[in-house]
Structures are given as structure tokens and as C-alpha cells.
Amino acid sequence: MTLSSSQKPALVLYHGAWHKESMWNVLRNHLHNYDVHTLQNPSSANVPPSQLGDLYDDARAMREKVLSIDGPVVVVAHSYGGAPATEGLAGLGDKVKRILYLHAFMPDVGESLVTANRGLDWWWGTNIVDQGAYEMLHAERIFYSDFEPMAAEMAAADLTPHSVKSFEQPITKAAWREIPSSYVIGEQDHAVPKEAREFMATRAQHIYRVDSGHSSFISQPDRIARFIHEEYLRLDA
């Protein structure tokens, strides 16, 4: 079955920590005939570090974005973005038809990003806690391990500080318990520990695997576009 553009729910792409919504530009070029929407997380907005939002601000922004779109939506959430999507989309099962967790955190009620890592040593940032923010270190190796060196350097240079609180705040409701969800595992992901991503993926109804690092939406956009297309085909399956 092939869905026409008039039949397709809108597609919302939701970025992770330290990033800007412009990170989706490469993937968008592979999403022809989709009504694509993005938004900027308050937790990594282009503001002074002390003015960054937290996880609940991100969740509200996500919820408001989805509700502002006419008709149903499908959501793709990357990395940290899976946490505020989990929080903010709860109760919107009639609106949100599927969530695709892309190398993402898929926490349950009571979990934060820190505890969702199942106690594993995962931290690779440096904090400027007096300003309420983390700065990313070694992004070329952690986020962009399968990029060409110059492309990895350019992507890392575009990152912004990210809110400290957003990593520590617990989820109060879990959208994936009511909204059909899938999970993409990057086999070479250096950001989400293997044990954590394999465990969180068991919460989804379907698992995709790709031989990529943490940012496959840039390194393998055609593959991720195919996964998104498959998610749309699952709507009537």
C-alpha cells in the first residue's frame, strides 16, 4: 500500500540534547511528499545557559506543537528527545498515531535520563553547573562516529549547551504505554549504552536495526526515511 500525501498524517521530527532543529535538514530532503514539522527544544535553545528550559518545558513545547497541527501526526524522536516526547505526548493517543524512537531514550514513569541508563557509566559532557548547563565533549566520537572527520567536526561545532535539570527530572507519564511505538537501534551507537538501548527497545512493538552510529539520520538518511515510510505503512496494518 502507498499512502498519498493527502492521506498521510503529518510528521514531527524531534531532536535531542545539545542540538538544533536544523539537524533534520539532511533527512528532510529524503522525505518527499511528507508534511514535515520540526521544533526547537527549550533545553538547548539559543539563549544564555541560565535561561535554558528543562524536560517539562520540552514536553510542553512538544505537546503544543503536535496540538497545533491539523489532523493526526507521527512523531520521530531522537536521543534525549525521546524523554520529553514520552512525557508530553501521553494522553494524545487519538492524535499521535505512532512514535518512532530513533536511538532514543524511552523511559518509564519515575525514570530520568540518568536512571534510564540502568546505572551504566555513560557521561561524556562537562558541566557549567553554576549556569545550569552541560557542554558536550568529544561529540565527533560520541555522536558522529560514522561521519567523515570534517563532517563530524562541523556537526560538533554546531552544538549548543544543554540544560542540567532535563537529564535528572523523572518522567511522570509514558506515552508509549498507549501509543504504538517502534525503536531504531544503531549497532555502533556510542551515545546510548548497548545494555540500555536493548532494554528500552523491548518497550516498543517493533525494533529496527541499522549498522550506524548515533546520528544515522545524517549518515544514512535514506535508510531512516525507509524506516519512517514503514511506520506509515503500519498505520493500517
Side-chain angles (χ1 to χ4, degrees), residues 24-199:
W24 296 113
N25 288 347
V26 173
L27 178 61
R28 291 186 73 147
N29 291 332
H30 293 257
L31 295 171
H32 306 295
N33 300 318
Y34 287 85
D35 178 22
V36 180
H37 299 256
T38 61
L39 69 155
Q40 179 64 50
N41 276 340
S43 61
S44 57
N46 186 23
V47 297
S50 61
Q51 297 177 23
L52 292 170
D54 60 19
L55 181 142
Y56 304 128
D57 293 320
D58 291 342
R60 280 190 293 273
M62 178 54 154
R63 189 179 186 89
E64 290 170 2
K65 181 67 173 184
V66 165
L67 291 175
S68 74
I69 298 170
D70 290 336
V73 303
V74 170
V75 173
V76 177
H78 178 251
S79 194
Y80 159 82
T86 294
E87 176 81 15
L89 299 179
L92 298 183
D94 290 339
K95 178 80 171 176
V96 181
K97 298 307 177 183
R98 293 194 70 85
I99 305 172
L100 179 61
Y101 288 84
L102 178 59
H103 316 307
F105 290 90
M106 193 175 181
D108 203 353
V109 173
E111 294 179 342
S112 66
L113 246 72
V114 174
T115 60
N117 271 300
R118 300 175 63 76
L120 300 171
D121 183 13
W122 65 288
W123 188 243
W124 12 252
T126 182
N127 64 52
I128 42 177
V129 175
D130 59 326
Q131 299 180 59
Y134 285 116
E135 290 184 335
M136 183 64 195
L137 291 178
H138 313 302
E140 297 90 340
R141 174 171 55 84
I142 302 299
F143 289 161
Y144 314 119
S145 59
D146 53 346
F147 286 33
E148 292 295 327
M150 183 173 294
E153 290 178 10
M154 291 177 62
D158 200 40
L159 299 178
T160 62
H162 188 88
S163 162
V164 169
K165 290 189 293 185
S166 66
F167 290 149
E168 301 169 347
Q169 292 165 315
I171 296 296
T172 66
K173 40 193 177 290
W176 54 263
R177 289 190 169 275
E178 60 190 84
I179 298 172
S181 301
S182 296
Y183 195 100
V184 179
I185 290 176
E187 301 288 11
Q188 308 303 321
D189 189 348
H190 295 176
V192 182
K194 181 176 181 179
E195 181 180 331
R197 65 182 183 251
E198 292 288 344
F199 175 77

